[in-house]
């Protein structure tokens, strides 16, 4: 056992003494050491209930013959960090979480890990750290929040963001906004639609890193507590059988995850995170070209929030991720292994029920195009990402004048003061991984556009990124970013930008001679942050098309 490094032999008497000081017995010390990575915090609803899940996992670990050691990592709530300087810390926190998992597991010689996670950056951060170690691990996500209900209608957090825009143009009163604020998020869980947290949970299940249905069981359902106990038992089995993550995380496993993501129309952030997760297996293990290639294989088969009407609760009742893969069976790589001990094919074969009102047949999809698309062109030579499943078809193709802003705050001010007109293309730059720094999510400006009724006539392009709850013609992750001197840094007010989501193009309609002149005149701005963690992150982080991983 790996834990023998800290517990076996005469020379480890001091180590054992410290472990006994924590209350562990000789018999417990002899068993496999299982690290329980808990991301509980009192300010994140997706994590507020994790104390109960941790206790359930521990019961499972002890039932399976292991010894549990709980430790914590940080968890940032993107919704609370949204729209201010705090959002600059969200994506960089992924690297802190990965480093924390790696550090704690190596320092204390854990034999295996249970990753208890939920929200946006915490899922990929934990996975990245655990994959580096290549020791057995299994994931327990916290589960989705139920939708809120008010006066016969269902709501979620994105309705509140968009309601701010509605209030600004007089569509609703302050009293109506307040009422929605109180009822949209009814309790524990990750926000109720196919936003980033739930998208990452679905990807984790498709990768084979949790037990079947683990992504979709509601946070408040007792079924999730039972799942936690089963996961606790399973990790001990994985340790005893020495089943490591790199035995599971093959190219085929990643292709399955990508196809499930594309078919569900997951968050654009999943592309960033999958690239980073795969990087821990091997640099370049998957690329944007894999997403582009696979987007031609699968259609968009589920109309989930924010672009559709269904919630994660509906997806679970419709059959969950096993049912999604059943519908995609002709495309899925069925020999891929999972932590359950079954192959993906065996999980698919056990599916007895699919609600096709929620998970549409492959020959009768929501959209024939996959829910996410990679765009390239003169404005994004290295790629950009759009959630086409949440875009009105009349905006698949659009040309319009650029309205250029060098920060999110400037763009929001222009939007809320009604300076953006139908047909415009809002460009928000210097918000990339290095330039932001931290590649902030642009949910506030996109929600304001939607709430003000401009979602079918105004496009938004950025080298930053978007919330999983963003809908409308919003193109992010433009690479190279402005801080690297990418073409987005050369755009001027009024330049015509051409978008063609069907042909996967994003172009700046400015003659090359003019662009070359602008390149020679361009000067790299001073860093926005010059001290602390973000300053260090800004110097080390790679481009979005590489997953915004940190270069060592």
């Amino acid at each position: 056992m790996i834990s023998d490094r800290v517990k076996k032999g005469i020379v480890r008497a001091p180590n054992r003494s410290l472990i006994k000081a924590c209350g562990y017995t000789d018999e417990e010390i002899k068993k496999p050491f299982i690290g329980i990575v808990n991301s509980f915090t009192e300010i994140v609803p997706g994590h507020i209930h994790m104390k109960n899940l941790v206790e359930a996992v521990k019961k499972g670990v002890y039932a399976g013959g292991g010894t549990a050691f709980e430790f914590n990592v940080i968890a940032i709530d993107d919704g609370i960090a949204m729209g201010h300087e705090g959002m600059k810390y969200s994506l960089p926190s992924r690297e802190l979480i990965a480093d924390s998992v790696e550090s704690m597991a190596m320092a204390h010689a854990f034999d295996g890990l249970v990753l208890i996670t939920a929200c946006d950056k915490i899922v990929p951060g934990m996975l990245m750290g655990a994959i580096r170690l290549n020791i057995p691990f299994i994931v327990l996500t916290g589960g989705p929040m139920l939708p809120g209900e008010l006066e016969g209608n269902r709501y979620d957090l994105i309705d509140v963001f968009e309601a701010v825009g509605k209030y600004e143009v007089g569509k609703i009163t302050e009293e109506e906004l307040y009422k929605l604020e109180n009822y949209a998020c009814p309790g524990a869980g990750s926000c109720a639609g196919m936003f980033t947290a739930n998208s990452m949970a679905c990807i984790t299940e498709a990768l084979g890193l949790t037990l079947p249905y683990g992504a979709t069981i509601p946070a408040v359902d007792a079924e999730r507590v039972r799942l936690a106990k089963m996961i606790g038992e399973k990790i001990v089995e994985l340790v005893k059988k020495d089943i490591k993550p790199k035995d599971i995380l093959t190219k085929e496993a990643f292709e399955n995850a990508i196809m499930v993501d594309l078919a569900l129309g997951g968050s654009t952030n999943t592309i960033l995170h999958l690239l980073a997760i795969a990087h821990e297996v091997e640099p370049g293990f998957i690329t944007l070209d894999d997403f582009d290639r696979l987007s031609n294989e699968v259609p968009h088969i589920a109309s989930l929030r924010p672009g559709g009407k269904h919630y994660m609760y509906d997806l679970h009742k419709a059959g969950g991720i096993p049912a999604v893969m059943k519908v995609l069976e002709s495309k899925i790589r069925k020999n891929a292994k999972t932590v359950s001990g079954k192959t993906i094919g065996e999980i698919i074969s056990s599916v007895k029920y699919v609600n096709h009102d929620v998970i549409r047949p492959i020959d009768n999809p929501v959209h024939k195009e996959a829910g996410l698309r990679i765009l390239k062109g003169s404005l994004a030579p290295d790629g950009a990402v759009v959630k086409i499943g949440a875009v009105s078809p009349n905006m698949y193709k659009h040309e319009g004048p650029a309205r250029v802003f060098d920060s999110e705050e400037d763009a929001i001010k222009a939007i809320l003061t009604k300076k953006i007109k139908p047909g415009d293309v809002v460009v928000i730059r210097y918000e990339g991984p290095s330039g932001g720094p931290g590649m902030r999510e642009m949910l506030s400006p996109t929600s304001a556009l939607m709430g003000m009724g401009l979602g079918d006539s105004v496009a938004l392009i950025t080298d930053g990124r978007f919330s999983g709850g963003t809908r409308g013609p919003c193109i992010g992750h433009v690479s190279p970013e402005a801080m690297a001197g990418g073409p987005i840094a050369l755009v001027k007010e009024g330049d015509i930008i051409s978008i063609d989501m069907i042909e996967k193009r994003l172009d700046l309609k400015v003659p090359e001679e003019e662009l070359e002149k602008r390149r020679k005149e361009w000067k790299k701005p001073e860093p926005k942050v010059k001290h602390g963690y973000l300053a260090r992150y800004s110097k080390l982080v790679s481009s979005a098309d590489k997953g915004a991983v940190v270069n060592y």
Side-chain angles (χ1 to χ4, degrees):
M1 287 188 286
I2 296 171
S3 56
D4 286 345
R5 299 174 192 166
V6 298
K7 70 185 184 185
K8 195 169 184 180
I10 294 295
V11 296
R12 294 303 176 214
N15 309 61
R16 292 192 297 272
S17 183
L18 288 169
I19 295 169
K20 288 177 179 180
C22 297
Y24 291 91
T25 66
D26 284 321
E27 285 305 308
E28 288 175 312
I29 292 171
K30 291 176 184 177
K31 296 174 182 178
F33 282 13
I34 307 300
I36 311 296
V37 191
N38 185 5
S39 49
F40 166 79
T41 172
E42 291 185 338
I43 198 169
V44 183
H47 296 244
I48 191 70
H49 60 309
M50 285 186 176
K51 287 184 178 180
N52 290 337
L53 294 180
V54 168
E55 292 309 310
V57 169
K58 288 178 183 177
K59 289 177 181 177
V61 168
Y62 281 103
T67 297
F69 298 85
E70 177 187 347
F71 67 93
N72 290 80
V73 296
I74 62 170
I76 288 176
D77 188 303
D78 282 15
I80 297 172
M82 195 72 65
H84 60 92
E85 288 294 295
M87 178 49 72
K88 291 184 177 182
Y89 287 85
S90 175
L91 181 59
S93 76
R94 185 186 72 183
E95 315 308 312
L96 294 175
I97 292 163
D99 292 349
S100 296
V101 171
E102 176 191 0
S103 299
M104 286 293 290
M106 287 298 292
H108 301 101
F110 292 131
D111 297 298
L113 297 172
V114 178
L115 311 179
I116 303 180
T117 178
C119 290
D120 304 9
K121 312 310 160 300
I122 300 92
V123 178
M126 285 194 186
L127 290 179
M128 290 162 66
I131 293 167
R132 285 176 200 168
L133 301 163
N134 201 31
I135 64 174
F137 75 81
I138 188 169
V139 179
L140 172 64
T141 50
M145 185 185 293
L146 296 174
E149 293 193 22
L150 176 63
E151 297 172 356
N153 296 309
R154 297 197 295 176
Y155 296 96
D156 58 39
L157 178 66
I158 304 308
D159 292 301
V160 186
F161 270 100
E162 293 184 1
V164 173
K166 291 179 180 179
Y167 172 76
E168 292 292 341
V169 294
K171 291 183 179 180
I172 62 172
T173 65
E174 185 175 355
E175 182 182 352
E176 289 172 314
L177 176 59
Y178 179 70
K179 189 182 292 186
L180 185 60
E181 171 188 326
N182 284 335
Y183 287 94
C185 299
S190 45
C191 299
M194 187 57 72
F195 313 143
T196 302
N198 289 321
S199 297
M200 287 308 304
C202 293
I203 282 172
T204 300
E205 185 172 337
L207 281 170
L209 298 176
T210 190
L211 297 183
Y213 305 98
T216 56
I217 299 169
V220 296
D221 197 315
E223 186 181 2
R224 184 156 293 279
V225 178
R226 298 194 294 272
L227 176 74
K229 292 178 181 178
M230 290 188 283
I231 280 174
E233 286 195 67
K234 180 61 69 172
I235 185 58
V236 182
E237 179 186 328
L238 293 173
V239 168
K240 290 178 178 178
K241 292 181 177 179
D242 196 28
I243 297 174
K244 297 175 180 176
K246 291 184 182 179
D247 299 329
I248 293 170
L249 293 173
T250 61
K251 182 81 171 185
E252 291 74 19
F254 277 99
E255 288 178 336
N256 285 340
I258 291 169
M259 285 190 287
V260 166
D261 189 31
L262 293 170
L264 291 174
S267 165
T268 51
N269 287 314
T270 57
I271 296 175
L272 194 74
H273 297 321
L274 267 174
L275 290 170
I277 292 165
H279 180 82
E280 299 295 346
V281 176
E282 180 184 324
F285 196 59
I286 64 167
T287 68
L288 281 182
D289 290 339
D290 291 303
F291 287 89
D292 187 42
R293 170 176 56 85
L294 293 168
S295 70
N296 297 320
E297 288 198 29
V298 295
H300 181 208
I301 62 171
S303 181
L304 298 163
R305 291 280 297 157
K309 64 180 181 179
H310 294 125
Y311 295 83
M312 289 298 295
Y313 176 80
D314 304 315
L315 180 62
H316 181 60
K317 294 301 181 182
I321 299 307
V324 171
M325 291 192 289
K326 180 74 172 178
V327 169
L328 300 175
E329 187 170 7
S330 63
K331 307 291 184 181
I332 289 291
R333 285 52 164 160
K334 288 184 278 192
N335 290 328
K337 299 176 182 177
T338 75
V339 291
S340 71
K342 299 178 181 178
T343 64
I344 290 290
E346 288 171 329
I347 291 171
I348 289 173
S349 67
S350 68
V351 173
K352 305 299 182 187
Y353 171 75
V354 181
N355 181 346
H356 286 300
D357 289 336
V358 178
I359 305 169
R360 300 274 281 274
I362 202 166
D363 58 357
N364 183 30
V366 179
H367 300 106
K368 64 180 181 179
E369 301 87 8
L372 298 170
R373 286 235 151 164
I374 307 300
L375 309 183
K376 291 188 177 182
S378 61
L379 187 54
D382 294 337
V385 180
V386 64
K387 187 171 183 171
I388 192 173
V391 178
S392 173
N394 70 297
M395 287 296 287
Y396 287 173
K397 294 185 179 183
H398 180 74
E399 278 194 9
R403 302 298 310 279
V404 183
F405 304 95
D406 287 346
S407 72
E408 179 188 13
E409 288 82 1
D410 289 346
I412 292 172
K413 182 186 291 186
I415 293 167
L416 294 180
T417 54
K418 304 179 180 64
K419 293 179 180 178
I420 303 302
K421 307 301 181 186
D424 286 348
V425 178
V426 175
V427 176
I428 306 178
R429 63 189 180 189
Y430 295 105
E431 290 287 3
S434 178
M439 204 179 179
R440 287 192 287 182
E441 291 183 350
M442 304 291 151
L443 182 57
S444 294
T446 61
S447 295
L449 288 171
M450 293 301 296
M452 296 170 75
L454 295 172
D456 287 341
S457 60
V458 172
L460 192 151
I461 297 172
T462 181
D463 54 3
R465 56 196 179 88
F466 298 113
S467 162
T470 290
R471 61 191 181 107
C474 302
I475 300 167
H477 308 198
V478 171
S479 301
E481 64 173 292
M483 198 66 169
I488 193 171
L490 310 179
V491 181
K492 291 188 175 181
E493 188 82 5
D495 284 349
I496 300 300
I497 292 175
S498 174
I499 300 164
D500 190 334
M501 298 181 193
I502 302 303
E503 296 299 322
K504 305 178 183 179
R505 296 291 305 179
L506 179 61
D507 292 294
L508 177 61
K509 302 190 80 173
V510 173
E512 182 55 38
E513 313 86 73
E514 173 64 19
L515 287 178
E516 187 58 34
K517 178 184 174 185
R518 294 182 190 180
R519 280 190 198 97
K520 291 177 180 177
E521 294 173 349
W522 179 79
K523 293 181 180 179
K524 185 175 181 177
E526 283 289 309
K528 294 178 183 176
V529 180
K530 297 183 180 181
H531 67 278
Y533 174 54
L534 289 183
R536 184 168 76 250
Y537 176 86
S538 177
K539 293 176 182 177
L540 298 175
V541 68
S542 67
S543 176
D545 66 292
K546 300 293 189 293
V549 297
V550 168
N551 294 311
Y552 295 103

